[in-house]
Every structure is written in C-alpha cells, then in structure tokens.
C-alpha cells in the first residue's frame, strides 16, 4: 500500500510535462489520501484541457476533499468526474460539490462511498441544472429512503439523468421515522376512504327507503 502512495507522489511530479492530456485514469491504484492529494495538487496547475478524471477505488476520505475540490475548480473543460468506491462522507462531498458549481460537467459518479441524505441533497441540485448534464450515480451509499425520494423529486423533470438508487443501505432513525410517517399517511387515507364509503352507503340506503 505504501508503495502505491509513493508511486502516486512520483507521478505527480511529471504531470507538468503532459499538458496535452484530456483523460486521466487513476482508478484502483491505491493512492489513498497522500497519493491523491499529491496528484490533484500537481494537476491543478497543469493539464489545462482535462476533460475526464477517474479516481475510483483509491480509499480516498474527506481529508483529501479540499485538494480535490481545488483541482476540479481549475478544470474549466472537465466533463466527467469519477470518485466512486472511495470512503468519502457528506463533509467531503459538500466540499467537492462547491467546486462543481461553474463546471459544465456531464457525468458525476459518487457511487459506493459513505454519503447520506445530506451529501446527496448537496450534490443533486448542483448537477441537475447543468444544461449538458447526462448522468449522476449515487447508488451503493447510505442514503435514507427519504433522501432518495427527495433526490428523485429534484430529478422529476429529467429522471433519465439519475442512475439507479438501489443498494443504498440506511437503517438509521431517519428511515424509521420516515417509514412511520408514510404509514400514518396511508392509514389516514385509508380511514378517510372508509368514512367516505360509509357516508355513501348511508345516503344510498336513505334514498332507497325513500323510494
């Protein structure tokens, strides 16, 4: 693992010689935070035409988020950002999302991290309003049922831009409260329907007896 980090640090020293690059794929190279930070710091001042950055499966946590955000903000031509299968939580996601505000991204993959409802709701409104946006992936996180429904509501006019929302595993109190409130609403609706039916039956019987 330490060797992979050293490789990442070494690679960061040569990026200035490759300003023509438009795609960089560093997924599954076990960069961890140290290697990732060294790389994005080097990328920030080089490869000005970068369009795709892939950093999936590198054990990246929130510690590296500020450096990643600073790098992304400097890439005006960036179309795709893949940070899936890392260990980013809501705090890191929010930090990175800030850097996406002025980018014309088309693809964002934050699947299989540790995002909850907070992270998802910081990300969704930013990307959905981009004219050229094509796909957001957030499956495999820890987003509650309530959070998933809220994200779907944000994408209600363009549901094809939101990837599958399954494999989100949240067993927290928020989900329990949400499911309970949904159940109460269903019970209330059911009771109202029963009352309406009883009123109809009473009216029907009264009319029948009258005639």
């Amino acid at each position: 693992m330490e060797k992979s980090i050293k490789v990442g640090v070494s690679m960061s020293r040569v990026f200035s010689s490759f300003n023509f690059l438009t795609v960089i794929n560093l997924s599954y190279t076990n960069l961890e935070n140290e290697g990732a930070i060294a790389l994005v710091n080097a990328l920030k001042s080089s490869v000005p035409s970068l369009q795709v950055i892939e950093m999936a499966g590198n054990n990246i946590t929130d510690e590296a988020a500020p450096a990643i955000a600073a790098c992304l903000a400097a890439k005006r031509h960036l179309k795709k950002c893949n940070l899936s299968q890392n260990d980013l939580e809501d705090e890191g996601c929010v930090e990175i999302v800030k850097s996406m505000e002025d980018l014309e991204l088309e693809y964002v993959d934050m699947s299989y991290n540790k995002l909850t409802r907070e992270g998802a709701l910081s990300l969704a409104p930013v990307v959905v309003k981009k004219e050229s946006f094509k796909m957001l992936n957030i499956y495999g996180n820890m987003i509650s049922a309530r959070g998933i429904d809220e994200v779907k509501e944000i994408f209600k006019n363009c549901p094809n831009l939101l990837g599958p929302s399954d494999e989100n595993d949240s067993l927290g109190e928020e989900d329990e409260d949400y499911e309970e409130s949904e159940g109460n609403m269903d019970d209330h609706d059911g009771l109202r329907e029963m009352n309406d039916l009883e009123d109809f039956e009473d009216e029907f019987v009264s009319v029948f007896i009258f005639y």
Side-chain angles (χ1 to χ4, degrees):
M1 195 74 71
E2 184 178 348
K3 183 178 179 181
S4 297
I5 296 173
K6 289 181 178 179
V7 169
V9 174
S10 298
M11 287 175 62
S12 70
R13 296 169 183 161
V14 300
F15 273 127
S16 58
S17 302
F18 296 94
N19 281 332
F20 57 86
L21 290 176
T22 58
V23 177
I24 293 178
N25 189 342
L26 298 166
S27 295
Y28 311 107
T29 50
N30 293 320
L31 294 172
E32 298 191 0
N33 288 328
E34 183 180 347
I37 290 171
L39 281 167
V40 295
N41 283 342
L43 286 173
K44 182 181 176 182
S45 56
S46 59
V47 288
S49 300
L50 186 65
Q51 296 183 23
V52 177
I53 183 167
E54 307 256 6
M55 297 182 71
N58 278 301
N59 301 313
I60 297 170
T61 72
D62 289 357
E63 181 183 337
I68 293 172
C71 174
L72 296 183
K75 303 305 165 191
R76 314 307 299 177
H77 303 287
L78 194 67
K79 301 296 182 185
K80 180 179 180 180
C81 178
N82 181 3
L83 289 167
S84 63
Q85 298 189 38
N86 282 295
D87 295 309
L88 291 165
E89 300 182 28
D90 292 337
E91 183 178 350
C93 179
V94 170
E95 186 77 30
I96 291 169
V97 166
K98 292 176 183 177
S99 70
M100 297 179 176
E101 289 279 359
D102 298 323
L103 301 179
E104 289 305 317
L105 286 163
E106 296 179 357
Y107 299 91
V108 174
D109 194 342
M110 293 288 285
S111 57
Y112 293 106
N113 276 280
K114 296 180 179 179
L115 307 186
T116 68
R117 172 174 171 261
E118 179 186 351
L121 291 180
S122 70
L123 179 58
V126 171
V127 297
V128 75
K129 65 184 180 181
K130 297 183 181 299
E131 292 183 7
S132 58
F133 196 72
K134 296 180 180 178
M135 182 60 62
L136 170 65
N137 284 323
I138 53 172
Y139 55 86
N141 278 284
M142 302 168 63
I143 306 167
S144 65
R146 177 184 178 185
I148 291 297
D149 285 347
E150 289 171 325
V151 170
K152 287 180 177 179
E153 179 65 19
I154 293 171
F155 280 83
K156 66 180 179 180
N157 294 325
C158 48
N160 57 308
L161 304 186
L162 180 63
S165 56
D166 52 358
E167 297 188 40
N168 273 285
D169 184 16
S170 175
L171 300 177
E173 185 176 341
E174 179 185 302
D175 255 355
E176 294 176 1
D177 292 344
Y178 181 66
E179 290 172 1
E180 183 179 344
S181 66
E182 288 287 295
N184 290 338
M185 288 180 64
D186 291 341
D187 291 344
H188 178 74
D189 291 341
L191 182 60
R192 184 171 58 186
E193 288 176 2
M194 289 179 62
N195 290 335
D196 290 344
L197 180 59
E198 289 174 359
D199 291 343
F200 173 78
E201 290 174 344
D202 289 344
E203 183 178 350
F204 179 81
V205 170
S206 298
V207 173
F208 180 78
I209 292 174
F210 177 78
Y211 281 100

